[in-house]
Amino acid sequence: MSSSDLLLDAFDRIRETVAAAVDGLGEEELAYRADGSANSIAWLVWHLTRIQDDHLAEVAGHEQTWTADGWAERFALPLDPSDTGYGHTPAQVASVVATAGQLTGYHEAVHARTAAFVADLDGEALARVVDTRWDPPVTLAVRLISVVSDDLQHAGQAALVRGVLPRR
């Protein structure tokens, strides 16, 4: 198994978890927050997808799917198109309202671009330094694993909130 195969498997697992977390839920359920400072399923899935989109676009050298493919307009959120959700206040979290179709559609589009990018990566490509602001500098491999880790954590949180829904 190659490094790219492992990365594809990891991103596929994120995709599967996202799909299961939102499947069959309405906007009210997707917007449910356990308390006033908790994250909703909609916010968690939107945010993890925005981070993946932002980070992969940067290292792949292309425009983000969010803006390039019109997802920012389809969601019509009261946020700047460059916003990824990092550091959001409770009010900003509450402003992320979406349908299951929007969330999975955007995630599928980002996943397709991610899969196309990682499919041909080899050891030399993964060793490329993509961020010199850190010591040691961040390689492509480290950046991709960071995205996988962050996305899996947020996807798991979305699954947890979904599990809480019937108990509210």
Side-chain angles (χ1 to χ4, degrees), residues 52-140:
Q52 184 175 332
D53 190 9
D54 175 76
H55 288 29
L56 268 288
E58 181 181 353
V59 297
H62 58 69
E63 185 180 350
Q64 293 179 26
T65 304
W66 181 247
T67 51
D69 294 353
W71 288 101
E73 289 82 15
R74 283 180 241 178
F75 275 71
L77 300 176
L79 303 168
D80 186 276
S82 66
D83 197 333
T84 62
Y86 182 77
H88 266 189
T89 65
Q92 289 170 310
V93 169
S95 75
V96 177
V97 178
T99 66
Q102 287 172 313
L103 293 165
T104 56
Y106 175 45
H107 191 80
E108 287 292 329
V110 170
H111 178 76
R113 280 186 124 176
T114 300
F117 176 71
V118 303
D120 296 323
L121 295 177
D122 60 16
E124 184 178 330
L126 290 168
R128 174 174 60 101
V129 172
V130 296
D131 191 344
T132 58
R133 296 173 294 176
W134 301 93
D135 185 19
V138 176
T139 63
L140 178 58

Side-chain angles (χ1 to χ4, degrees), residues 10-77:
F11 283 109
D12 282 343
R13 289 170 191 246
I14 295 163
R15 183 173 135 232
E16 291 165 4
T17 306
V18 163
V22 303
D23 184 49
L25 298 181
E27 281 186 49
E28 183 179 316
E29 294 162 310
L30 291 166
Y32 169 75
R33 297 166 68 199
D35 65 33
S37 61
N39 297 324
S40 66
I41 295 170
W43 185 88
L44 288 161
V45 170
W46 170 82
H47 169 66
L48 75 85
T49 307
R50 289 291 297 122
I51 293 297
Q52 184 175 332
D53 190 9
D54 175 76
H55 288 29
L56 268 288
E58 181 181 353
V59 297
H62 58 69
E63 185 180 350
Q64 293 179 26
T65 304
W66 181 247
T67 51
D69 294 353
W71 288 101
E73 289 82 15
R74 283 180 241 178
F75 275 71
L77 300 176

